[in-house]
Amino acid sequence: MMRIWGWYESFLLANAPQVTAVESSLRSITYILPGRFKDAEVTGEAIYTAVNLLGMYHDSVLFRIVYGRRRAAEGVVGDVRESILAGDVPRLSRHARYAHFWRTHSPSYRAAAVWLMIIENTQLLAEMLARRRLGRKCAWDVVLAIEIVKACLRITLVRATRLRPALTVPLPQREIDPALLERRIMPSNTKEALTWRGSRTGMVHRSLNALLPAKGPAKDQYEYLLAHTLTEQDVVSPPQLVRVLPGSVGQLGEGLWIARPLVYVLALRRWGSRSATPFALSLFLELLARSIRKRAYSSSRDAGPASPLSSVTLLLSVLGIENSFLEWLASLVSSNTRAKPISSVESDEWAARGRGLWWYFLRGPVWYRWTRPKIACFARRTEHRALIGMVGAIARDYLPLVDDYYYYSAS
């Protein structure tokens, strides 16, 4: 079995751009399948789920080869590793650094993150199959069980990261251009060798020739080096990219955010999707968790690692001017810095949770009384027009799916 997986990984690395293109094409096709034939939505969701699960495995393979610290002993993996090092490997993002750190240092985090991603990629298909095989009532039981498991997994993520917020995407994503895998390393005995091997460790490193552009004016080289300048967030320890939840108040806010989908499903089972009670209850918990989080960080004395230098501080320090007074004026203009994210990982997570509010336009009375009629009206008015009529037809085919299935509008 291991031999088969090894062969498949070699095939993936040798054909990464083509595999990525096939994945993207299959995902695009599944968007237009609903309404085309009987059970088209189930078929499309099954294909979408399979592609996403396979993509998760591909992401882990590419991440391990491109950013792994240990070179493979033999085979195509080693050749590809050297080939990548000879090229311009993109810098690991801060989100990937943070997620990879906890994945490698905490077995419970790794297990919870993997299972959470698997469940989120299969939950809609599970609801569809339960609705068709077990009926509407049992389908709600399946949805409730899924939300209970997801809440437990998110709590595990919080505990595994020592009481830090659970990220919406807890695993590193694919960040490398697959075209890099098609490059070939230059022979080591050439004058312009792009790699060199350490005599003690045996690891392959990029030479200076690989770091600078081979051609072009000095201005291009300066811009290239400037783009690769490290910032404070790039060198800080990965756990410090996300702050610990400040006290019991911060933990309460995170707990409300984790429990919100579970409470919403319970309310839907009790009052139905057309009732305003589940909608109002879920929105109230969402806004309450957001407010508690801001208040907890604002009142916390532990603001985490120092914030990056402001533009005023950086400019005046370069000029050699004392800037205490001007920095004080800048601090008066700015809002409470403790309530602001300390890194792009935090800011991206808060932004993702903020974008979740848009899903309320597909829920409850807002969906049935405002959003749905407008989409149906748009589909009717454009059904006889070219191109835009196709968009309206696809939107019309999704209306009954949003009506019937919970996970089409779940954040």
Side-chain angles (χ1 to χ4, degrees):
M1 190 66 179
M2 296 298 296
R3 187 175 182 179
I4 296 177
W5 284 116
W7 175 86
Y8 182 77
E9 290 184 2
S10 300
F11 170 80
L12 171 64
L13 295 173
N15 302 275
Q18 293 78 9
V19 172
T20 302
V22 171
E23 290 178 1
S24 179
S25 300
L26 289 176
R27 288 191 182 98
S28 300
I29 291 174
T30 58
Y31 294 144
I32 62 176
L33 281 181
R36 298 297 176 267
F37 53 88
K38 184 179 180 181
D39 296 334
E41 62 274 12
V42 179
T43 303
E45 188 59 30
I47 297 175
Y48 188 79
T49 300
V51 171
N52 284 344
L53 293 178
L54 192 60
M56 283 182 56
Y57 175 71
H58 293 168
D59 292 347
S60 65
V61 173
L62 295 177
F63 188 93
R64 184 176 71 249
I65 298 304
V66 175
Y67 297 105
R69 294 185 177 180
R70 296 183 178 179
R71 176 183 175 274
E74 57 184 7
V76 69
V77 173
D79 297 335
V80 171
R81 174 65 178 163
E82 293 185 4
S83 176
I84 294 171
L85 286 173
D88 183 18
V89 179
R91 185 187 305 169
L92 197 62
S93 71
R94 292 155 191 159
H95 173 273
R97 287 179 57 223
Y98 178 83
H100 179 63
F101 174 85
W102 289 114
R103 183 178 64 175
T104 55
H105 287 76
S106 175
S108 59
Y109 181 94
R110 180 172 62 252
V114 170
W115 280 109
L116 181 60
M117 295 294 292
I118 291 176
I119 291 175
E120 289 183 344
N121 285 322
T122 59
Q123 58 191 9
L124 179 55
L125 180 61
E127 183 186 6
M128 287 182 172
L129 296 178
R131 180 69 62 87
R132 292 173 179 270
R133 301 292 183 181
L134 305 177
R136 179 179 294 270
K137 184 177 180 180
C138 291
W140 277 114
D141 295 336
V142 172
V143 172
L144 179 60
I146 291 175
E147 290 301 329
I148 292 175
V149 174
K150 288 169 61 178
C152 294
L153 292 175
R154 290 194 174 102
I155 292 175
T156 302
L157 293 179
V158 173
R159 293 176 61 88
T161 55
R162 301 172 186 174
L163 299 181
R164 288 176 172 83
L167 298 185
T168 304
V169 183
L171 293 175
Q173 301 299 291
R174 190 178 307 180
E175 299 174 348
I176 185 173
D177 184 4
L180 289 176
L181 301 177
E182 292 185 333
R183 297 182 181 179
R184 291 294 179 264
I185 186 172
M186 297 178 60
S188 59
N189 56 356
T190 60
K191 184 177 180 180
E192 298 293 334
L194 299 181
T195 62
W196 58 276
R197 186 185 302 277
S199 59
R200 182 175 61 87
T201 62
M203 297 182 62
V204 179
H205 306 275
R206 286 186 293 170
S207 64
L208 185 61
N209 294 324
L211 297 176
L212 295 177
K215 298 181 180 180
K219 181 180 179 181
D220 295 338
Q221 297 181 0
Y222 173 77
E223 293 178 352
Y224 177 86
L225 294 175
L226 187 62
H228 286 71
T229 302
L230 294 176
T231 64
E232 183 181 359
Q233 295 184 22
D234 295 321
V235 297
V236 74
S237 176
Q240 296 182 2
L241 293 173
V242 178
R243 289 170 290 184
V244 176
L245 293 169
S248 58
V249 178
Q251 297 173 23
L252 174 62
E254 186 69 11
L256 288 176
W257 182 80
I258 293 175
R260 170 191 46 83
L262 181 58
V263 175
Y264 182 50
V265 171
L266 290 173
L268 287 176
R269 293 184 66 203
R270 174 65 176 81
W271 288 286
S273 59
R274 292 180 178 269
S275 174
T277 302
F279 177 87
L281 183 59
S282 177
L283 182 59
F284 172 75
L285 291 178
E286 185 101 34
L287 298 178
L288 180 62
R290 183 187 183 97
S291 176
I292 290 177
R293 184 196 75 212
K294 289 184 177 181
R295 182 178 297 273
Y297 282 114
S298 299
S299 59
S300 174
R301 295 183 178 180
D302 183 13
S307 302
L309 294 176
S310 64
S311 57
V312 176
T313 304
L314 185 59
L315 175 61
L316 295 179
S317 61
V318 171
L319 297 178
I321 302 175
E322 293 294 336
N323 60 345
S324 58
F325 177 71
L326 293 178
E327 187 64 21
W328 174 74
L329 290 179
S331 64
L332 293 180
V333 177
S334 62
S335 59
N336 190 348
T337 57
R338 292 179 179 178
K340 295 181 179 180
I342 63 170
S343 69
S344 60
V345 182
E346 273 195 3
S347 62
D348 291 344
E349 179 60 25
W350 304 149
R353 296 189 184 187
R355 290 192 299 269
L357 293 174
W358 290 100
W359 288 104
Y360 285 92
F361 285 96
L362 303 180
R363 299 177 184 174
V366 175
W367 164 251
Y368 289 106
R369 299 177 186 177
W370 191 82
T371 309
R372 195 184 196 284
K374 290 186 177 299
I375 296 178
C377 180
F378 170 79
R380 288 195 303 270
R381 291 184 177 183
T382 60
E383 60 182 353
H384 298 297
R385 298 183 182 181
L387 297 180
I388 194 173
M390 183 181 300
V391 177
I394 295 176
R396 184 180 60 249
D397 293 335
Y398 273 92
L399 294 179
L401 300 180
V402 178
D403 292 340
D404 294 337
Y405 297 107
Y406 166 77
Y407 283 113
Y408 265 111
S409 60
S411 57

